PDB file of all heavy atoms in Angstrom:
ATOM      1  N   PHE A  22     -28.080  -7.760 -13.296  1.00  0.00           N
ATOM      2  CA  PHE A  22     -28.011  -6.708 -12.282  1.00  0.00           C
ATOM      3  C   PHE A  22     -29.124  -6.894 -11.260  1.00  0.00           C
ATOM      4  O   PHE A  22     -30.108  -7.608 -11.490  1.00  0.00           O
ATOM      5  CB  PHE A  22     -28.103  -5.320 -12.926  1.00  0.00           C
ATOM      6  CG  PHE A  22     -29.403  -5.067 -13.663  1.00  0.00           C
ATOM      7  CD1 PHE A  22     -30.465  -4.427 -13.031  1.00  0.00           C
ATOM      8  CD2 PHE A  22     -29.556  -5.464 -14.986  1.00  0.00           C
ATOM      9  CE1 PHE A  22     -31.655  -4.204 -13.702  1.00  0.00           C
ATOM     10  CE2 PHE A  22     -30.755  -5.242 -15.664  1.00  0.00           C
ATOM     11  CZ  PHE A  22     -31.803  -4.603 -15.025  1.00  0.00           C
ATOM     12  N   GLY A  26     -35.300   0.427  -4.862  1.00  0.00           N
ATOM     13  CA  GLY A  26     -35.613   1.846  -4.769  1.00  0.00           C
ATOM     14  C   GLY A  26     -36.608   2.278  -5.826  1.00  0.00           C
ATOM     15  O   GLY A  26     -37.098   1.482  -6.627  1.00  0.00           O
ATOM     16  N   HIS A  37     -18.679  -3.511  -8.588  1.00  0.00           N
ATOM     17  CA  HIS A  37     -17.860  -4.317  -7.678  1.00  0.00           C
ATOM     18  C   HIS A  37     -16.424  -4.441  -8.179  1.00  0.00           C
ATOM     19  O   HIS A  37     -16.105  -4.165  -9.336  1.00  0.00           O
ATOM     20  CB  HIS A  37     -18.489  -5.710  -7.499  1.00  0.00           C
ATOM     21  CG  HIS A  37     -18.530  -6.548  -8.737  1.00  0.00           C
ATOM     22  ND1 HIS A  37     -17.447  -7.242  -9.209  1.00  0.00           N
ATOM     23  CD2 HIS A  37     -19.555  -6.821  -9.598  1.00  0.00           C
ATOM     24  CE1 HIS A  37     -17.787  -7.907 -10.310  1.00  0.00           C
ATOM     25  NE2 HIS A  37     -19.056  -7.662 -10.568  1.00  0.00           N
ATOM     26  N   PRO A  40     -12.262 -10.358  -7.149  1.00  0.00           N
ATOM     27  CA  PRO A  40     -13.509 -10.881  -7.698  1.00  0.00           C
ATOM     28  C   PRO A  40     -14.682 -10.180  -7.029  1.00  0.00           C
ATOM     29  O   PRO A  40     -14.495  -9.360  -6.125  1.00  0.00           O
ATOM     30  CB  PRO A  40     -13.454 -12.363  -7.319  1.00  0.00           C
ATOM     31  CG  PRO A  40     -12.658 -12.395  -6.057  1.00  0.00           C
ATOM     32  CD  PRO A  40     -11.620 -11.301  -6.202  1.00  0.00           C
ATOM     33  N   ALA A  42     -19.369  -9.605  -7.264  1.00  0.00           N
ATOM     34  CA  ALA A  42     -20.628  -9.736  -7.991  1.00  0.00           C
ATOM     35  C   ALA A  42     -21.600  -8.705  -7.444  1.00  0.00           C
ATOM     36  O   ALA A  42     -21.345  -8.065  -6.414  1.00  0.00           O
ATOM     37  CB  ALA A  42     -21.201 -11.153  -7.839  1.00  0.00           C
ATOM     38  N   VAL A  76     -12.837 -10.020 -18.988  1.00  0.00           N
ATOM     39  CA  VAL A  76     -12.754  -8.841 -19.853  1.00  0.00           C
ATOM     40  C   VAL A  76     -11.844  -7.859 -19.122  1.00  0.00           C
ATOM     41  O   VAL A  76     -12.283  -7.128 -18.222  1.00  0.00           O
ATOM     42  CB  VAL A  76     -14.137  -8.230 -20.120  1.00  0.00           C
ATOM     43  CG1 VAL A  76     -14.007  -6.962 -20.958  1.00  0.00           C
ATOM     44  CG2 VAL A  76     -15.041  -9.237 -20.825  1.00  0.00           C
ATOM     45  N   SER A  78     -10.036  -5.266 -20.244  1.00  0.00           N
ATOM     46  CA  SER A  78      -9.982  -3.882 -20.704  1.00  0.00           C
ATOM     47  C   SER A  78     -10.920  -2.983 -19.903  1.00  0.00           C
ATOM     48  O   SER A  78     -12.130  -3.253 -19.816  1.00  0.00           O
ATOM     49  CB  SER A  78     -10.365  -3.830 -22.190  1.00  0.00           C
ATOM     50  OG  SER A  78     -10.679  -2.513 -22.580  1.00  0.00           O
ATOM     51  N   ALA A  83     -16.167  -0.320 -19.192  1.00  0.00           N
ATOM     52  CA  ALA A  83     -16.923   0.935 -19.174  1.00  0.00           C
ATOM     53  C   ALA A  83     -18.057   0.908 -20.200  1.00  0.00           C
ATOM     54  O   ALA A  83     -19.155   1.417 -19.931  1.00  0.00           O
ATOM     55  CB  ALA A  83     -15.993   2.113 -19.445  1.00  0.00           C
ATOM     56  N   SER A  92     -30.662   9.929 -17.178  1.00  0.00           N
ATOM     57  CA  SER A  92     -30.937  11.188 -16.479  1.00  0.00           C
ATOM     58  C   SER A  92     -32.376  11.173 -15.996  1.00  0.00           C
ATOM     59  O   SER A  92     -33.289  10.854 -16.762  1.00  0.00           O
ATOM     60  CB  SER A  92     -30.710  12.372 -17.411  1.00  0.00           C
ATOM     61  OG  SER A  92     -30.996  13.583 -16.757  1.00  0.00           O
ATOM     62  N   SER A  97     -28.000  13.227 -13.637  1.00  0.00           N
ATOM     63  CA  SER A  97     -27.442  12.057 -14.318  1.00  0.00           C
ATOM     64  C   SER A  97     -27.014  11.025 -13.279  1.00  0.00           C
ATOM     65  O   SER A  97     -27.258  11.183 -12.083  1.00  0.00           O
ATOM     66  CB  SER A  97     -26.280  12.472 -15.230  1.00  0.00           C
ATOM     67  OG  SER A  97     -25.358  13.293 -14.546  1.00  0.00           O
ATOM     68  N   GLY A 149      -2.994 -25.806 -18.307  1.00  0.00           N
ATOM     69  CA  GLY A 149      -3.250 -27.048 -17.587  1.00  0.00           C
ATOM     70  C   GLY A 149      -3.810 -26.849 -16.198  1.00  0.00           C
ATOM     71  O   GLY A 149      -4.491 -27.719 -15.659  1.00  0.00           O
ATOM     72  N   TRP A 157     -14.651 -17.449 -11.259  1.00  0.00           N
ATOM     73  CA  TRP A 157     -14.478 -16.132 -10.660  1.00  0.00           C
ATOM     74  C   TRP A 157     -13.012 -15.864 -10.328  1.00  0.00           C
ATOM     75  O   TRP A 157     -12.516 -14.752 -10.509  1.00  0.00           O
ATOM     76  CB  TRP A 157     -15.362 -15.966  -9.422  1.00  0.00           C
ATOM     77  CG  TRP A 157     -15.084 -16.923  -8.302  1.00  0.00           C
ATOM     78  CD1 TRP A 157     -15.716 -18.110  -8.063  1.00  0.00           C
ATOM     79  CD2 TRP A 157     -14.096 -16.790  -7.283  1.00  0.00           C
ATOM     80  NE1 TRP A 157     -15.186 -18.729  -6.957  1.00  0.00           N
ATOM     81  CE2 TRP A 157     -14.192 -17.929  -6.454  1.00  0.00           C
ATOM     82  CE3 TRP A 157     -13.142 -15.816  -6.977  1.00  0.00           C
ATOM     83  CZ2 TRP A 157     -13.371 -18.132  -5.345  1.00  0.00           C
ATOM     84  CZ3 TRP A 157     -12.313 -16.013  -5.871  1.00  0.00           C
ATOM     85  CH2 TRP A 157     -12.432 -17.152  -5.073  1.00  0.00           C
ATOM     86  N   ASN A 160     -11.007 -15.449 -13.695  1.00  0.00           N
ATOM     87  CA  ASN A 160     -11.237 -14.146 -14.323  1.00  0.00           C
ATOM     88  C   ASN A 160     -10.622 -13.009 -13.515  1.00  0.00           C
ATOM     89  O   ASN A 160     -10.084 -12.051 -14.081  1.00  0.00           O
ATOM     90  CB  ASN A 160     -12.731 -13.920 -14.530  1.00  0.00           C
ATOM     91  CG  ASN A 160     -13.285 -14.772 -15.658  1.00  0.00           C
ATOM     92  OD1 ASN A 160     -12.529 -15.394 -16.403  1.00  0.00           O
ATOM     93  ND2 ASN A 160     -14.594 -14.813 -15.788  1.00  0.00           N
ATOM     94  N   ALA A 174      -2.846   3.792 -19.083  1.00  0.00           N
ATOM     95  CA  ALA A 174      -3.593   4.503 -20.126  1.00  0.00           C
ATOM     96  C   ALA A 174      -4.660   5.401 -19.505  1.00  0.00           C
ATOM     97  O   ALA A 174      -4.869   6.540 -19.950  1.00  0.00           O
ATOM     98  CB  ALA A 174      -4.226   3.496 -21.081  1.00  0.00           C
ATOM     99  N   LEU A 179      -7.298  10.902 -16.528  1.00  0.00           N
ATOM    100  CA  LEU A 179      -7.986  11.236 -15.279  1.00  0.00           C
ATOM    101  C   LEU A 179      -8.204  12.742 -15.086  1.00  0.00           C
ATOM    102  O   LEU A 179      -9.229  13.140 -14.521  1.00  0.00           O
ATOM    103  CB  LEU A 179      -7.227  10.657 -14.079  1.00  0.00           C
ATOM    104  CG  LEU A 179      -7.332   9.137 -13.893  1.00  0.00           C
ATOM    105  CD1 LEU A 179      -6.490   8.695 -12.700  1.00  0.00           C
ATOM    106  CD2 LEU A 179      -8.782   8.697 -13.718  1.00  0.00           C
ATOM    107  N   HIS A 190     -11.040   5.799   1.590  1.00  0.00           N
ATOM    108  CA  HIS A 190      -9.977   4.791   1.639  1.00  0.00           C
ATOM    109  C   HIS A 190      -9.455   4.661   3.070  1.00  0.00           C
ATOM    110  O   HIS A 190      -9.110   5.663   3.700  1.00  0.00           O
ATOM    111  CB  HIS A 190      -8.826   5.187   0.707  1.00  0.00           C
ATOM    112  CG  HIS A 190      -8.062   4.032   0.162  1.00  0.00           C
ATOM    113  ND1 HIS A 190      -7.987   3.749  -1.178  1.00  0.00           N
ATOM    114  CD2 HIS A 190      -7.357   3.057   0.773  1.00  0.00           C
ATOM    115  CE1 HIS A 190      -7.249   2.681  -1.374  1.00  0.00           C
ATOM    116  NE2 HIS A 190      -6.857   2.233  -0.191  1.00  0.00           N
ATOM    117  N   THR A 192      -6.801   3.938   5.917  1.00  0.00           N
ATOM    118  CA  THR A 192      -5.346   4.116   5.975  1.00  0.00           C
ATOM    119  C   THR A 192      -4.607   2.804   6.236  1.00  0.00           C
ATOM    120  O   THR A 192      -3.418   2.701   5.960  1.00  0.00           O
ATOM    121  CB  THR A 192      -4.968   5.130   7.062  1.00  0.00           C
ATOM    122  OG1 THR A 192      -5.520   4.701   8.310  1.00  0.00           O
ATOM    123  CG2 THR A 192      -5.512   6.510   6.714  1.00  0.00           C
ATOM    124  N   ASP A 194      -5.564  -0.194   4.903  1.00  0.00           N
ATOM    125  CA  ASP A 194      -6.024  -1.184   3.912  1.00  0.00           C
ATOM    126  C   ASP A 194      -4.867  -2.103   3.526  1.00  0.00           C
ATOM    127  O   ASP A 194      -3.838  -1.648   3.032  1.00  0.00           O
ATOM    128  CB  ASP A 194      -6.548  -0.452   2.672  1.00  0.00           C
ATOM    129  CG  ASP A 194      -7.326  -1.356   1.732  1.00  0.00           C
ATOM    130  OD1 ASP A 194      -6.933  -2.519   1.557  1.00  0.00           O
ATOM    131  OD2 ASP A 194      -8.321  -0.887   1.162  1.00  0.00           O
ATOM    132  N   LEU A 196      -5.118  -4.665   1.315  1.00  0.00           N
ATOM    133  CA  LEU A 196      -5.261  -5.192  -0.044  1.00  0.00           C
ATOM    134  C   LEU A 196      -4.997  -4.131  -1.110  1.00  0.00           C
ATOM    135  O   LEU A 196      -4.333  -4.397  -2.106  1.00  0.00           O
ATOM    136  CB  LEU A 196      -6.663  -5.786  -0.236  1.00  0.00           C
ATOM    137  CG  LEU A 196      -6.992  -7.013   0.610  1.00  0.00           C
ATOM    138  CD1 LEU A 196      -8.435  -7.444   0.371  1.00  0.00           C
ATOM    139  CD2 LEU A 196      -6.035  -8.156   0.277  1.00  0.00           C
ATOM    140  N   PRO A 198      -3.338  -0.522  -1.455  1.00  0.00           N
ATOM    141  CA  PRO A 198      -2.516   0.433  -0.684  1.00  0.00           C
ATOM    142  C   PRO A 198      -3.140   1.820  -0.585  1.00  0.00           C
ATOM    143  O   PRO A 198      -3.680   2.349  -1.560  1.00  0.00           O
ATOM    144  CB  PRO A 198      -1.203   0.471  -1.468  1.00  0.00           C
ATOM    145  CG  PRO A 198      -1.150  -0.840  -2.187  1.00  0.00           C
ATOM    146  CD  PRO A 198      -2.576  -1.162  -2.530  1.00  0.00           C
ATOM    147  N   MET A 205      -4.524   9.642  -6.730  1.00  0.00           N
ATOM    148  CA  MET A 205      -5.785  10.225  -7.189  1.00  0.00           C
ATOM    149  C   MET A 205      -5.813  11.734  -6.951  1.00  0.00           C
ATOM    150  O   MET A 205      -6.264  12.495  -7.816  1.00  0.00           O
ATOM    151  CB  MET A 205      -6.965   9.531  -6.513  1.00  0.00           C
ATOM    152  CG  MET A 205      -7.226   8.132  -7.035  1.00  0.00           C
ATOM    153  SD  MET A 205      -8.716   7.369  -6.332  1.00  0.00           S
ATOM    154  CE  MET A 205      -8.015   6.556  -4.883  1.00  0.00           C
TER     155      MET A 205
END
Side-chain angles (χ1 to χ4, degrees):
F22 62 95
H37 65 80
V76 177
S78 164
S92 179
S97 49
W157 61 265
N160 287 350
L179 287 178
H190 209 118
T192 56
D194 193 322
L196 295 177
M205 287 185 270

